[in-house]
Amino acid sequence: MKKSLITGITGQDGAYLAQFLLKKGYRVYGAFRRSSTVNLERLAYLGIKEQVELVPLDLLDLGSIIRVLENVQPDEVYNLAAQSFVAVSFDQPVATGRITGLGAVNVLEAIRIVNPKIKFYQASSSEMFGKVQNVPQNEQTPFYPRSPYAAAKVYAHWMTVNYREAYGIFACSGILFNHESPLRGLEFVTRKITDGVARIKYGLAKELRLGNLEARRDWGCAEDYVEALWLMLQQPQPDDYVIATGEAHSVREFAARSFACVGLNWEDYVVVDPQFMRPADVELLVGDASKARHVLGWKPKTTFEQLVEMMVEADLRRVRDSLGVR
Ligand code: NAP
Ligand code: G4F
């Protein structure tokens, strides 16, 4: 039985990847960082909490990673852990650099020391394209990071390439465009909107305060995207791949469609609030995933419309249940 170790098991992608790998017959080890209350809600939501073997690990502590690798002896390591919220990275640039940038290098170092045959996946990001140099963005597009988060991801990305070339480690980078789900953190704009719609629908809120409505993103479905991570590690050679839908939509469109799902007009509820504007924003991200389609045989399954509807439905259900409404 193959063994995988996932860092960031408590996050959105950690939960969906664990579910995917369990279905593939893997023994799944989920690395979590110690906190007063460990958040296993997402694993519980997917009904896999009991099937994932939890191991304590902090990305900032090389020794803890080495110990986990020695104990678990995984075939594959998926490094999903990060300070992943772009807005917070402007307030906490140093912490973001240490976790999101150096944290990945700690995992690579641990692999080099413990067993360089372990395959490694790095969660790179379309944010690395930032102030985009080409439209759409593919594996050849130069990076132009626009936030401390994106700069940290560029560093981790190039270190992944470097460990592949310098030490022959099977290290892959997935340059994933935004991907969402009912398990998305509430601070990210899509989930903030669908949660807001549900709260407004059930009378718990009167308005929804947002920042830049013109920003456009290539939003895909998290459950579709985790398959690509696994496919990358099953290829004969390690490489880097863009994973995207190829379609861009604005925050305004996402909001309009979400409110329309419950028969409301978004303009009656959305208030633009400067506190949600970023010092430097990324205006347009749209990916070209042709390489993933040709080499991995991967393509997205969920449309933008289906994604919005699925997220709104899930938040309506959750708010309804919390109120005890039938
Ligand atoms: P997420 O929900 O924010 O999850 C991040 C995970 O990292 C959480 O489990 C968090 O644990 C963990 N973590 C943070 N600091 C840590 C540390 N010092 N040691 C160990 N674990 C730590 O993010 P996601 O949306 O699942 O994304 C997964 C990865 O893909 C991230 O690296 C993200 O930057 C990248 N990415 C995401 C997207 C996207 O659209 N979702 C797109 C491109 C790239 P706690 O629960 O303890 O906070
Ligand atoms: O949902 P967001 O916070 O996601 P962002 O910044 O694109 O980052 C996410 O995707 C990246 C992949 O490209 C990941 F690497 C990263 O870890 C994360 O998962 O914001 C999307 C857009 C931005 O332009 C933001 O300015 O929405 C705009 N926005 C407008 N109002 C808002 C809001 N974003 C948030 N979070 N909250 C708002 O009220």
Side-chain angles (χ1 to χ4, degrees), residues 66-79:
I66 290 176
R67 267 188 296 284
V68 167
L69 293 189
E70 281 172 343
N71 291 338
V72 170
Q73 293 291 336
D75 300 284
E76 299 170 1
V77 172
Y78 296 86
N79 182 39

Side-chain angles (χ1 to χ4, degrees), residues 10-13 33 58-59 80 82 84 149 153 176 179 184:
T10 57
Q12 169 188 259
D13 292 5
R33 59 173 164 174
D58 198 304
L59 271 202
L80 308 186
S84 75
Y149 166 80
K153 282 287 184 189
L176 269 56
H179 45 280
R184 185 59 144 153

Side-chain angles (χ1 to χ4, degrees), residues 139-151:
E139 294 80 4
Q140 268 72 53
T141 305
F143 298 138
Y144 193 138
R146 290 267 282 174
S147 65
Y149 166 80

Side-chain angles (χ1 to χ4, degrees), residues 97-304:
R98 290 174 70 209
I99 299 169
T100 306
L102 274 173
V105 184
N106 277 336
V107 182
L108 284 161
E109 263 299 272
I111 288 176
R112 185 171 75 87
I113 292 164
V114 174
N115 175 7
K117 293 209 175 334
I118 295 171
K119 292 182 176 180
F120 174 79
Y121 172 84
Q122 168 59 15
S124 285
S125 165
S126 53
E127 279 290 306
M128 301 190 304
F129 297 123
K131 191 171 173 188
V132 297
Q133 304 295 294
N134 290 319
V135 179
Q137 298 85 52
N138 65 20
E139 294 80 4
Q140 268 72 53
T141 305
F143 298 138
Y144 193 138
R146 290 267 282 174
S147 65
Y149 166 80
K153 282 287 184 189
V154 171
Y155 171 61
H157 177 85
W158 280 113
M159 289 303 276
T160 302
V161 174
N162 185 252
Y163 271 61
R164 179 163 80 215
E165 293 176 354
Y167 307 116
I169 290 174
F170 194 109
C172 298
S173 236
I175 306 175
L176 269 56
F177 283 63
N178 300 51
H179 45 280
E180 318 295 313
S181 74
L183 297 185
R184 185 59 144 153
L186 284 164
E187 67 275 35
F188 298 96
V189 76
T190 54
R191 187 73 201 291
K192 184 173 170 183
I193 292 171
T194 60
D195 172 66
V197 165
R199 289 163 52 76
I200 288 169
K201 180 73 186 167
Y202 285 108
L204 298 180
K206 290 194 168 10
E207 62 178 26
L208 175 62
R209 303 186 87 81
L210 297 174
N212 181 4
L213 301 181
E214 308 313 326
R216 284 187 289 157
R217 290 290 183 276
D218 180 332
W219 279 298
C221 172
E223 203 173 346
D224 295 351
Y225 281 30
V226 293
E227 182 189 13
L229 280 48
W230 174 78
L231 284 168
M232 287 178 212
L233 297 197
Q234 313 315 310
Q235 301 309 304
Q237 299 299 330
D239 208 342
D240 307 322
Y241 299 88
V242 159
I243 301 297
T245 70
E247 252 184 57
H249 297 272
S250 65
V251 172
R252 181 191 299 273
E253 268 179 88
F254 196 103
R257 188 164 278 277
S258 301
F259 277 93
C261 285
V262 295
L264 298 177
N265 178 6
W266 72 280
E267 285 165 305
D268 297 336
Y269 301 95
V270 170
V271 177
V272 172
D273 185 336
Q275 74 161 301
F276 297 112
M277 301 286 187
R278 296 178 183 175
D281 206 353
V282 170
E283 291 304 330
L284 167 67
L285 290 175
V286 58
D288 167 9
S290 316
K291 179 175 169 186
R293 195 163 54 249
H294 293 132
V295 181
L296 306 178
W298 178 89
K299 60 178 192 316
K301 299 186 179 96
T302 311
T303 64
F304 175 73

